[in-house]
Amino acid sequence: MNLVLLGAPGAGKGTQAKRIVQQFGVTQLSTGDMLRAEASSGTAIGKQADEIMKAGRLVPDEIIIGLIDSRLDREDCRRGFILDGFPRTIAQATALDAMLASKHLKLDTVISIEVDDEAMVERISGRYTCARCSEGYHDRFKQPKVEGVCDVCGSTKFVRRADDNAETVRQRLKAYHSQTESIIAYYDKQALVRRVDGMRAIDEVTEEIVAALRDGTRID
Ligand code: AMP
């Protein structure tokens, strides 16, 4: 089962992707995570991407396409994958189609998580994750049960993304509307899109996605 997860920043793509991984055994491919890993290792790509990410703009297509192309060849993608944060431009979407065709693969479903912009600024500005296990938290909506201690692994170290501040979030939302949103129409033409209401509680969104995948997708 090969999936794309679309949605504005803060829509819950990362959270939902992790749940889909648990339920369906596919591999999560997050271009944002890949770029952050490159940046923290100080690679040439990481250095180029870091400033762009901090400004809330999109990293050049050729860098992203190269990252995904080699990643799709790895063994763990054989059972299927979920693309989280890619494609983000029409050029990336057409490159993905060509890439998949050359590897004799295809997309089964594109999930679009639909949300309101203003709610996203509040959602993103307060979020942080456990530095050890990546469990997600939020200043207002989900604090650890014991203050300062991760519910899942007990770590006391937490991290916030450098681009999760109100000003950068507004820029990221702008980039989403001007460069990414049109991808929904691109995949609509291929009859692949399933729309999900991302303003509901996290568990309800998961249920809707799982139901859409179970009824609309060939599961190998
Ligand atoms: P994310 O973790 O998906 O929110 O991505 C964080 C940042 O990484 C974005 O704001 C972009 O600067 C960059 N990025 C991630 N994926 C892409 C992509 N497919 N195309 C261009 N830039 C990307």
Side-chain angles (χ1 to χ4, degrees):
M1 180 168 72
N2 302 326
L3 309 171
V4 167
L5 200 49
L6 292 177
K13 295 187 297 295
T15 303
Q16 297 300 335
K18 286 187 179 61
R19 291 167 169 226
I20 295 167
V21 166
Q22 280 170 2
Q23 293 241 7
F24 296 95
V26 295
T27 293
Q28 178 186 3
L29 302 181
S30 157
T31 41
D33 285 349
M34 289 177 199
L35 291 169
R36 282 184 285 279
E38 298 276 344
S40 62
S41 313
T43 64
I45 287 179
K47 283 182 189 143
Q48 206 182 333
D50 197 40
E51 284 305 307
I52 300 174
M53 291 167 80
K54 283 189 182 134
R57 289 182 285 111
L58 293 187
V59 172
D61 289 333
E62 54 280 10
I63 291 182
I64 300 288
I65 291 163
L67 282 177
I68 285 287
D69 195 8
S70 51
R71 185 65 185 81
L72 283 174
D73 292 332
R74 298 238 301 252
E75 177 70 28
D76 60 357
C77 290
R78 295 239 178 107
R79 291 201 55 203
F81 52 80
I82 176 156
L83 292 166
D84 156 15
F86 176 88
R88 258 177 158 102
T89 62
I90 293 288
Q92 290 179 20
T94 51
L96 176 63
D97 277 349
M99 215 185 283
L100 293 177
S102 76
K103 297 177 199 295
H104 307 288
L105 295 170
K106 69 175 190 60
L107 291 177
D108 295 292
T109 304
V110 173
I111 301 278
S112 170
I113 306 181
E114 320 233 311
V115 289
D116 301 334
D117 271 20
E118 267 318 301
M120 291 310 102
V121 178
E122 190 186 21
R123 242 196 221 182
I124 297 188
S125 307
R127 72 184 183 181
Y128 57 100
T129 53
C130 169
R132 192 195 290 160
C133 74
S134 301
E135 179 70 4
Y137 295 96
H138 193 282
D139 293 328
R140 277 195 54 200
F141 308 130
K142 186 192 162 194
Q143 290 172 2
K145 292 192 183 84
V146 177
E147 199 186 331
V149 181
C150 175
D151 296 345
V152 175
C153 75
S155 166
T156 52
K157 239 184 123 201
F158 296 88
V159 284
R160 284 176 198 265
R161 278 172 46 173
D163 59 350
D164 277 353
N165 60 78
E167 193 189 326
T168 311
V169 172
R170 289 210 166 82
Q171 179 55 46
R172 287 160 64 196
L173 286 165
K174 234 165 98 185
Y176 175 77
H177 290 300
S178 64
Q179 290 165 278
T180 308
E181 208 169 21
S182 53
I183 291 177
I184 299 172
Y186 175 89
Y187 285 125
D188 259 336
K189 285 194 192 118
Q190 301 179 30
L192 286 174
V193 182
R194 304 296 296 258
R195 290 172 169 75
V196 170
D197 177 5
M199 297 307 295
R200 298 164 66 192
I202 293 175
D203 287 347
E204 291 173 39
V205 178
T206 308
E207 274 169 35
E208 213 181 314
I209 293 176
V210 169
L213 293 180
R214 290 208 193 282
D215 92 359
T217 308
R218 176 180 54 85
I219 297 169
D220 294 323

